[in-house]
Amino acid sequence: MVESKDKTPENKVTPAARQYPDPASKLRQDPPTTGHSWDGIEEYDNPMPRWWVWIFIITIIWAVGYWIAMPAWPGIQSATSGMLGYSSRANVATEISEFEARNEQFFVQLLETDLDAIRDNDELHRFAVNAGGSVFRAQCSQCHGTGGAGVQANGFPNLLDDDWLWGGTMDDIVTTISYGIRNEDYPDARYSAMPAFGQDGLLDNDEIDQVVNHVLSLSGADHDAALAAAGAEVFDLNCASCHGVEGEGDYFIGAPALNNQIWLYGGSPDAIRESVYYSRFGVMPGFERRLRDAEIRAVAAYVHQLGGGQ
């Protein structure tokens, strides 16, 4: 058997074959390939289009010019300021100052206008509601909710209804916002304390069950009639002095009304029993030192118009 003189391995690719893998490409004068192969596919070694090269050069020149003219390179404490001295922070500060200067005339007018007369000036009232709403969302929404609906489980009052612990007039709301409720920061803070009838042993468990059912009956909720009848006397002796004989409440001492379906801590038998047994002692901070007087008035106007202002 005669051995073939062609000893070129079948898988060996000659330089000519690498440059012109397709025999017909030599006739077409295709450009050479890069020499790389992916799954048998090779790419031509074409030069980049001239227009692309010029765009690339222009972007480099633009970048160098931007570094020189504008803030670009960060340093340890600040970035390079650039020859143009541009500062987005300074621009924002300037715009804020301009708007504050425009609004200041309305804040001055808020201070000079009687609280009950703010609603008579449409432009001033509109400004007060918008400004007060902005302050409310920043300072008050954490407890009362973004829309003022409150969180009943935590005893944060709903400001959308017409039931007020300390009164819902503009003067009352301003006082509450200014000094808060049961805090130790302001001598003028609203203050009241309900006895813990169960914890302090003022009433036994049977009497507490009776008064709970009587309170449920005042609001028209489901209750045990026999227990409610017995609880009427317990209520009259222990609760009526603050909450009223009919459960109408008292704004002057912050005693809530019990004859409606509006509840600060919930109106279920268990929630009412817990209130009677342990008492409640919600605290609200005062904002006299946090907000300007005009801002407090604006928040009062916002809260007053939410639906329950008196």
Side-chain angles (χ1 to χ4, degrees):
M1 182 175 182
V2 180
E3 183 179 356
S4 172
K5 294 182 179 181
D6 185 4
K7 297 183 179 181
T8 303
E10 294 181 2
N11 296 331
K12 184 175 181 180
V13 180
T14 64
R18 182 182 297 109
Q19 185 172 0
Y20 300 103
D22 182 4
S25 65
K26 187 171 183 180
L27 300 176
R28 296 195 302 269
Q29 293 184 346
D30 288 341
T33 65
T34 61
H36 303 146
S37 177
W38 295 273
D39 294 332
I41 301 174
E42 298 187 14
E43 62 175 328
Y44 291 134
D45 188 12
N46 288 320
M48 292 182 292
R50 189 61 64 179
W51 63 268
W52 191 96
V53 174
W54 279 111
I55 290 177
F56 183 67
I57 294 173
I58 291 172
T59 57
I60 294 175
I61 296 173
W62 171 266
V64 173
Y66 188 91
W67 292 341
I68 297 172
M70 303 291 286
W73 292 98
I76 297 176
Q77 295 182 340
S78 63
T80 56
S81 58
M83 295 184 64
L84 297 181
Y86 174 82
S87 173
S88 58
R89 179 174 296 181
N91 291 344
V92 171
T94 300
E95 291 182 5
I96 291 176
S97 298
E98 292 175 356
F99 279 102
E100 286 181 345
R102 296 177 191 175
N103 292 337
E104 191 60 31
Q105 59 178 326
F106 289 105
F107 281 121
V108 172
Q109 193 175 355
L110 268 177
L111 289 175
E112 296 175 347
T113 304
D114 184 78
L115 287 171
D116 292 329
I118 293 176
R119 293 180 64 89
D120 299 332
N121 186 327
D122 291 340
E123 185 178 25
L124 180 61
H125 184 252
R126 185 164 55 251
F127 169 80
V129 170
N130 288 324
S134 178
V135 176
F136 181 92
R137 285 184 287 274
Q139 301 287 340
C140 315
S141 61
Q142 295 87 345
C143 294
H144 293 285
T146 304
V151 183
Q152 187 181 83
N154 296 324
F156 299 137
N158 181 355
L159 304 177
L160 305 180
D161 55 41
D162 59 356
D163 191 67
W164 296 87
L165 284 176
W166 301 95
T169 66
M170 285 288 287
D171 283 321
D172 292 331
I173 297 173
V174 165
T175 301
T176 301
I177 295 172
S178 299
Y179 307 118
I181 299 171
R182 301 186 190 95
N183 62 70
E184 298 179 355
D185 299 323
Y186 297 92
D188 294 326
R190 307 284 201 179
Y191 196 92
S192 64
M194 173 181 170
F197 289 98
Q199 191 175 47
D200 294 341
L202 301 176
L203 298 176
D204 60 32
N205 288 329
D206 291 338
E207 290 173 320
I208 291 176
D209 288 337
Q210 293 167 0
V211 79
V212 166
N213 277 273
H214 178 69
V215 169
L216 289 170
S217 71
L218 291 176
S219 62
D222 293 337
H223 61 279
D224 185 300
L227 290 176
E233 183 177 356
V234 179
F235 182 90
D236 187 59
L237 294 174
N238 295 275
C239 314
S241 57
C242 293
H243 292 284
V245 176
E246 302 296 331
E248 66 273 13
D250 189 343
Y251 291 143
F252 294 103
I253 58 175
L258 305 176
N259 57 0
N260 55 32
Q261 294 289 340
I262 300 174
W263 298 95
L264 185 57
Y265 290 94
S268 68
D270 289 339
I272 297 174
R273 194 178 203 285
E274 183 173 351
S275 295
V276 175
Y277 195 96
Y278 295 105
S279 177
R280 305 287 188 174
F281 198 80
V283 177
M284 172 183 167
F287 289 87
E288 186 188 42
R289 302 183 191 125
R290 304 186 190 186
L291 302 174
R292 296 188 298 167
D293 290 343
E295 290 175 322
I296 290 176
R297 284 173 164 242
V299 175
Y302 172 77
V303 172
H304 188 270
Q305 60 82 47
L306 285 177
Q310 295 173 337

PDB file of all heavy atoms in Angstrom, residues 57-71:
ATOM      1  N   ILE A  57     -13.422  60.588  18.525  1.00  0.00           N
ATOM      2  CA  ILE A  57     -12.447  61.644  18.849  1.00  0.00           C
ATOM      3  C   ILE A  57     -13.161  62.876  19.404  1.00  0.00           C
ATOM      4  O   ILE A  57     -12.714  63.494  20.381  1.00  0.00           O
ATOM      5  CB  ILE A  57     -11.623  62.001  17.595  1.00  0.00           C
ATOM      6  CG1 ILE A  57     -10.747  60.804  17.178  1.00  0.00           C
ATOM      7  CG2 ILE A  57     -10.763  63.240  17.841  1.00  0.00           C
ATOM      8  CD1 ILE A  57     -10.031  60.998  15.860  1.00  0.00           C
ATOM      9  N   ILE A  58     -14.299  63.223  18.804  1.00  0.00           N
ATOM     10  CA  ILE A  58     -15.054  64.396  19.266  1.00  0.00           C
ATOM     11  C   ILE A  58     -15.556  64.194  20.695  1.00  0.00           C
ATOM     12  O   ILE A  58     -15.521  65.112  21.516  1.00  0.00           O
ATOM     13  CB  ILE A  58     -16.225  64.686  18.302  1.00  0.00           C
ATOM     14  CG1 ILE A  58     -15.686  65.173  16.962  1.00  0.00           C
ATOM     15  CG2 ILE A  58     -17.180  65.722  18.907  1.00  0.00           C
ATOM     16  CD1 ILE A  58     -16.748  65.297  15.891  1.00  0.00           C
ATOM     17  N   THR A  59     -16.034  62.979  21.022  1.00  0.00           N
ATOM     18  CA  THR A  59     -16.513  62.735  22.389  1.00  0.00           C
ATOM     19  C   THR A  59     -15.381  62.860  23.402  1.00  0.00           C
ATOM     20  O   THR A  59     -15.594  63.338  24.519  1.00  0.00           O
ATOM     21  CB  THR A  59     -17.149  61.331  22.490  1.00  0.00           C
ATOM     22  OG1 THR A  59     -16.187  60.340  22.089  1.00  0.00           O
ATOM     23  CG2 THR A  59     -18.393  61.226  21.628  1.00  0.00           C
ATOM     24  N   ILE A  60     -14.182  62.444  23.013  1.00  0.00           N
ATOM     25  CA  ILE A  60     -13.041  62.591  23.921  1.00  0.00           C
ATOM     26  C   ILE A  60     -12.739  64.064  24.157  1.00  0.00           C
ATOM     27  O   ILE A  60     -12.522  64.514  25.290  1.00  0.00           O
ATOM     28  CB  ILE A  60     -11.811  61.860  23.360  1.00  0.00           C
ATOM     29  CG1 ILE A  60     -12.061  60.345  23.335  1.00  0.00           C
ATOM     30  CG2 ILE A  60     -10.560  62.179  24.185  1.00  0.00           C
ATOM     31  CD1 ILE A  60     -10.946  59.541  22.692  1.00  0.00           C
ATOM     32  N   ILE A  61     -12.747  64.838  23.069  1.00  0.00           N
ATOM     33  CA  ILE A  61     -12.492  66.279  23.199  1.00  0.00           C
ATOM     34  C   ILE A  61     -13.581  66.923  24.052  1.00  0.00           C
ATOM     35  O   ILE A  61     -13.301  67.772  24.916  1.00  0.00           O
ATOM     36  CB  ILE A  61     -12.423  66.929  21.804  1.00  0.00           C
ATOM     37  CG1 ILE A  61     -11.226  66.371  21.018  1.00  0.00           C
ATOM     38  CG2 ILE A  61     -12.347  68.448  21.917  1.00  0.00           C
ATOM     39  CD1 ILE A  61     -11.181  66.827  19.580  1.00  0.00           C
ATOM     40  N   TRP A  62     -14.846  66.522  23.838  1.00  0.00           N
ATOM     41  CA  TRP A  62     -15.960  67.061  24.622  1.00  0.00           C
ATOM     42  C   TRP A  62     -15.793  66.715  26.113  1.00  0.00           C
ATOM     43  O   TRP A  62     -16.021  67.569  26.976  1.00  0.00           O
ATOM     44  CB  TRP A  62     -17.274  66.495  24.105  1.00  0.00           C
ATOM     45  CG  TRP A  62     -18.456  66.823  24.976  1.00  0.00           C
ATOM     46  CD1 TRP A  62     -18.977  66.073  25.969  1.00  0.00           C
ATOM     47  CD2 TRP A  62     -19.216  68.029  24.938  1.00  0.00           C
ATOM     48  NE1 TRP A  62     -20.029  66.706  26.557  1.00  0.00           N
ATOM     49  CE2 TRP A  62     -20.220  67.926  25.948  1.00  0.00           C
ATOM     50  CE3 TRP A  62     -19.188  69.176  24.153  1.00  0.00           C
ATOM     51  CZ2 TRP A  62     -21.146  68.914  26.191  1.00  0.00           C
ATOM     52  CZ3 TRP A  62     -20.122  70.164  24.394  1.00  0.00           C
ATOM     53  CH2 TRP A  62     -21.078  70.043  25.405  1.00  0.00           C
ATOM     54  N   ALA A  63     -15.378  65.486  26.407  1.00  0.00           N
ATOM     55  CA  ALA A  63     -15.199  65.073  27.799  1.00  0.00           C
ATOM     56  C   ALA A  63     -14.116  65.903  28.479  1.00  0.00           C
ATOM     57  O   ALA A  63     -14.282  66.359  29.617  1.00  0.00           O
ATOM     58  CB  ALA A  63     -14.858  63.591  27.869  1.00  0.00           C
ATOM     59  N   VAL A  64     -12.996  66.135  27.788  1.00  0.00           N
ATOM     60  CA  VAL A  64     -11.922  66.942  28.364  1.00  0.00           C
ATOM     61  C   VAL A  64     -12.406  68.362  28.621  1.00  0.00           C
ATOM     62  O   VAL A  64     -12.142  68.958  29.678  1.00  0.00           O
ATOM     63  CB  VAL A  64     -10.687  66.938  27.440  1.00  0.00           C
ATOM     64  CG1 VAL A  64      -9.628  67.911  27.953  1.00  0.00           C
ATOM     65  CG2 VAL A  64     -10.104  65.537  27.332  1.00  0.00           C
ATOM     66  N   GLY A  65     -13.157  68.919  27.653  1.00  0.00           N
ATOM     67  CA  GLY A  65     -13.705  70.269  27.841  1.00  0.00           C
ATOM     68  C   GLY A  65     -14.692  70.334  29.000  1.00  0.00           C
ATOM     69  O   GLY A  65     -14.703  71.317  29.757  1.00  0.00           O
ATOM     70  N   TYR A  66     -15.503  69.289  29.157  1.00  0.00           N
ATOM     71  CA  TYR A  66     -16.468  69.249  30.266  1.00  0.00           C
ATOM     72  C   TYR A  66     -15.748  69.190  31.606  1.00  0.00           C
ATOM     73  O   TYR A  66     -16.143  69.846  32.562  1.00  0.00           O
ATOM     74  CB  TYR A  66     -17.386  68.036  30.098  1.00  0.00           C
ATOM     75  CG  TYR A  66     -18.538  68.013  31.077  1.00  0.00           C
ATOM     76  CD1 TYR A  66     -19.750  68.598  30.766  1.00  0.00           C
ATOM     77  CD2 TYR A  66     -18.387  67.404  32.322  1.00  0.00           C
ATOM     78  CE1 TYR A  66     -20.809  68.575  31.658  1.00  0.00           C
ATOM     79  CE2 TYR A  66     -19.435  67.384  33.225  1.00  0.00           C
ATOM     80  CZ  TYR A  66     -20.645  67.965  32.883  1.00  0.00           C
ATOM     81  OH  TYR A  66     -21.681  67.946  33.787  1.00  0.00           O
ATOM     82  N   TRP A  67     -14.677  68.388  31.687  1.00  0.00           N
ATOM     83  CA  TRP A  67     -13.914  68.298  32.935  1.00  0.00           C
ATOM     84  C   TRP A  67     -13.356  69.658  33.341  1.00  0.00           C
ATOM     85  O   TRP A  67     -13.273  69.978  34.526  1.00  0.00           O
ATOM     86  CB  TRP A  67     -12.744  67.316  32.767  1.00  0.00           C
ATOM     87  CG  TRP A  67     -13.181  65.897  32.595  1.00  0.00           C
ATOM     88  CD1 TRP A  67     -14.384  65.369  32.910  1.00  0.00           C
ATOM     89  CD2 TRP A  67     -12.402  64.838  32.034  1.00  0.00           C
ATOM     90  NE1 TRP A  67     -14.429  64.033  32.591  1.00  0.00           N
ATOM     91  CE2 TRP A  67     -13.220  63.675  32.048  1.00  0.00           C
ATOM     92  CE3 TRP A  67     -11.116  64.749  31.514  1.00  0.00           C
ATOM     93  CZ2 TRP A  67     -12.766  62.451  31.576  1.00  0.00           C
ATOM     94  CZ3 TRP A  67     -10.661  63.531  31.046  1.00  0.00           C
ATOM     95  CH2 TRP A  67     -11.477  62.391  31.071  1.00  0.00           C
ATOM     96  N   ILE A  68     -12.980  70.451  32.359  1.00  0.00           N
ATOM     97  CA  ILE A  68     -12.395  71.759  32.648  1.00  0.00           C
ATOM     98  C   ILE A  68     -13.472  72.775  33.017  1.00  0.00           C
ATOM     99  O   ILE A  68     -13.302  73.570  33.944  1.00  0.00           O
ATOM    100  CB  ILE A  68     -11.576  72.267  31.442  1.00  0.00           C
ATOM    101  CG1 ILE A  68     -10.394  71.319  31.179  1.00  0.00           C
ATOM    102  CG2 ILE A  68     -11.086  73.691  31.671  1.00  0.00           C
ATOM    103  CD1 ILE A  68      -9.636  71.625  29.913  1.00  0.00           C
ATOM    104  N   ALA A  69     -14.605  72.750  32.320  1.00  0.00           N
ATOM    105  CA  ALA A  69     -15.631  73.790  32.493  1.00  0.00           C
ATOM    106  C   ALA A  69     -16.600  73.516  33.633  1.00  0.00           C
ATOM    107  O   ALA A  69     -17.070  74.447  34.297  1.00  0.00           O
ATOM    108  CB  ALA A  69     -16.413  73.969  31.188  1.00  0.00           C
ATOM    109  N   MET A  70     -16.910  72.231  33.899  1.00  0.00           N
ATOM    110  CA  MET A  70     -17.968  71.895  34.846  1.00  0.00           C
ATOM    111  C   MET A  70     -17.400  71.100  36.033  1.00  0.00           C
ATOM    112  O   MET A  70     -16.313  70.530  35.939  1.00  0.00           O
ATOM    113  CB  MET A  70     -19.050  71.061  34.152  1.00  0.00           C
ATOM    114  CG  MET A  70     -19.663  71.730  32.945  1.00  0.00           C
ATOM    115  SD  MET A  70     -20.683  73.151  33.368  1.00  0.00           S
ATOM    116  CE  MET A  70     -22.112  72.328  34.033  1.00  0.00           C
ATOM    117  N   PRO A  71     -18.146  71.062  37.162  1.00  0.00           N
ATOM    118  CA  PRO A  71     -17.720  70.199  38.274  1.00  0.00           C
ATOM    119  C   PRO A  71     -17.672  68.746  37.805  1.00  0.00           C
ATOM    120  O   PRO A  71     -18.627  68.257  37.213  1.00  0.00           O
ATOM    121  CB  PRO A  71     -18.809  70.415  39.326  1.00  0.00           C
ATOM    122  CG  PRO A  71     -19.446  71.711  38.959  1.00  0.00           C
ATOM    123  CD  PRO A  71     -19.355  71.830  37.481  1.00  0.00           C
TER     124      PRO A  71
END
